[in-house]
Amino acid sequence: MSAQVILPRVMHVGADASEKAGEVLVALGCSRPLIVTDPMMVKLGYAATVQAALTAAGIASDVFADTVPEPTESSIVAGVEKVRQGDYDAIIALGGGSPIDSAKAIAILGRHGGVIRDYKFPRQVNEPGLPIIAIPTTAGTGSECTKFTIITDEANDEKLLCIGLGFMPIAALVDFNLTVSVPPRTTADTGIDAMTHAMEAYVSRKASAYSDSQAIAAMRLIGPNLRAVYRDGGDRKAREAMMLGSTLAGIAFSNASVALVHGMSRPIGAFFHVPHGLSNAMLLPSVTAWSIPSAVERYADCARFLGAADPRDDDATANAKLIDFLYDINAELQVPTLEEFGAIHDRFFELLPTMAEQALASGSPGNNPRVPSADEIIDIYKTLWVEPQQEALRA
């Protein structure tokens, strides 16, 4: 059975790839881009650097720098209005996953109108928006090469998953130099996000030989280098490996889909404002342990690709080592529990049925090797409050 593969039309990968922005726009026949980014990219000078590259190619550009972390519908309204009132023929998405996700939504809403809920999964958004040239500055979301975007509907405290060809960037400029300034906390959260993408793509019910090849390569790059970039952000070799691993993981899950971790992660982000990569990290050990019985060989492969297990380990040993590896990396990267992050116990438990409903509605849990019921999702959520005790017992 064949697998559909969707990729950006143009990709530049490696040091100084971001400097190709003007060249790529000219090749695509675009001459009036809007740069969608955030205040930090302006402060660090990255937006000005991209504008300089465009100017060198004879291209004038404007900047919309008001995107926010974990974007909401209200946070993109001004960008959508700017597109509707302007004469832009392309969008350059510069930043981490949040600016790129914002840019994807702005590109579609700016051209086709409506509100973001109109584009929520299961709708397939295949109509083209403004063409997007994505320049990621974190090694995490892989959004530069995915057909997904996630925007929070504040009125309902729900992270909306939007899917389709219309959200796939036309070009991706993957420049690891832009990640050297990323602080340790963001490095950790985005890195675990990328690792989760690769693992979930590999165990997904929608996995194919093609997505497997990308996921395997991503895990082999991320496993040995995530701790290294957290300890030393100036380690350029590790930064390059993580950036490539993130992009490959993005390609993998864009073509195989994510699974239960992501389905359960989005409600945590919506209700408790936990950054996406951090909520993935909180969930990954519990969800993996719960899922292993339905994909023993696949998870054991993940352990070996990540370097958590020896190639000669049998599957049971490899999977035991994988769980230890996930707990250990969370400890080293100082991933807080949900309680330590500041969530209130009573509110969390009151919201469990709603969170489980939203997780299932996203569709992602249906891709998991072991597909949960709402009650099983609630049981997994509950482990987030007892895991510190379990970890103490394990120690």
Side-chain angles (χ1 to χ4, degrees):
M1 198 172 172
S2 67
Q4 183 184 51
V5 177
I6 304 166
L7 295 167
R9 187 187 303 177
V10 178
M11 293 186 73
H12 286 273
V13 181
D16 303 323
S18 58
E19 297 177 8
K20 300 288 186 179
E23 176 185 319
V24 168
L25 280 173
V26 170
L28 295 172
C30 299
S31 60
R32 181 70 177 138
L34 174 66
I35 300 172
V36 175
T37 188
D38 62 27
M40 183 56 68
M41 295 299 102
V42 174
K43 181 178 179 180
L44 291 172
Y46 292 167
T49 299
V50 171
Q51 283 193 294
L54 297 177
T55 300
I59 296 173
S61 60
D62 291 334
V63 176
F64 174 74
D66 294 333
T67 68
V68 301
E70 309 298 320
T72 63
E73 182 162 28
S74 64
S75 76
I76 63 172
V77 167
V80 171
E81 192 60 27
K82 192 173 183 71
V83 167
R84 288 177 179 169
Q85 293 181 358
D87 60 347
Y88 304 107
D89 60 4
I91 286 180
I92 296 176
L94 172 68
S98 293
I100 295 176
D101 276 4
S102 298
K104 290 179 176 183
I106 289 168
I108 289 291
L109 293 173
R111 173 166 282 186
H112 299 291
V115 296
I116 195 65
R117 182 166 282 277
D118 297 334
Y119 300 92
K120 175 188 174 183
F121 177 84
R123 176 176 174 178
Q124 292 291 316
V125 185
N126 292 329
E127 55 268 40
L130 288 178
I132 298 167
I133 294 86
I135 306 176
T137 60
T138 61
T141 68
S143 192
E144 68 273 9
C145 53
T146 76
K147 58 182 179 181
F148 304 106
T149 192
I150 299 174
I151 306 292
T152 297
D153 175 359
E154 299 139 298
N156 297 286
D157 279 328
E158 182 180 2
K159 281 196 170 187
L160 303 180
L161 173 64
C162 304
I163 300 176
L165 296 175
F167 295 115
M168 175 62 75
I170 196 168
L173 311 181
V174 185
D175 183 350
F176 74 89
N177 284 336
L178 302 182
T179 69
V180 174
S181 62
V182 176
R185 179 72 269 147
T186 304
T187 295
D189 297 347
T190 54
I192 294 177
D193 191 22
M195 184 172 72
T196 306
H197 291 155
M199 289 179 62
E200 291 208 299
Y202 189 73
V203 301
S204 170
R205 289 170 175 260
K206 294 181 179 178
S208 67
Y210 178 83
S211 63
D212 282 355
S213 69
Q214 309 301 301
I216 291 167
M219 284 186 275
R220 285 175 168 159
L221 288 164
I222 294 167
N225 289 290
L226 178 51
R227 286 181 168 96
V229 292
Y230 178 73
R231 295 185 197 120
D232 178 8
D235 186 335
R236 292 174 59 80
K237 184 177 179 180
R239 286 286 191 189
E240 183 173 17
M242 286 298 299
M243 194 64 160
L244 179 56
S246 171
T247 295
L248 292 173
I251 293 171
F253 89 81
S254 187
N255 290 284
S257 295
V258 287
L260 182 55
V261 173
H262 276 75
M264 293 180 64
S265 175
R266 296 183 197 107
I268 291 176
F271 285 111
F272 299 100
H273 309 293
V274 180
H276 175 67
L278 193 57
S279 57
N280 279 350
M282 293 173 179
L283 285 160
L284 186 56
S286 292
V287 171
T288 300
W290 185 84
S291 303
I292 280 173
S294 294
V296 172
E297 292 182 3
R298 283 257 152 178
Y299 279 107
D301 285 344
C302 290
R304 299 179 187 108
F305 299 142
L306 289 166
D310 189 278
R312 294 166 294 184
D313 287 334
D314 61 43
D315 289 348
T317 300
N319 282 324
K321 289 182 176 181
L322 176 62
I323 299 303
D324 286 341
F325 172 84
L326 297 177
Y327 278 112
D328 289 346
I329 205 164
N330 276 4
E332 182 169 343
L333 273 55
Q334 299 183 52
V335 173
T337 64
L338 191 55
E339 186 173 18
E340 290 168 344
F341 186 81
I344 303 302
H345 177 277
D346 290 349
R347 175 168 163 75
F348 176 73
F349 277 82
E350 288 170 4
L351 286 170
L352 288 180
T354 301
M355 292 168 62
E357 179 184 343
Q358 289 186 3
L360 286 172
S362 74
S364 299
N367 303 323
N368 207 60
R370 185 180 179 187
V371 179
S373 66
D375 286 342
E376 287 171 321
I377 288 178
I378 289 172
D379 287 341
I380 297 170
Y381 273 136
K382 288 178 179 177
T383 68
L384 298 184
W385 289 89
V386 300
E387 282 187 9
Q389 299 167 18
Q390 292 175 342
E391 190 171 356
L393 290 172
R394 287 173 61 249

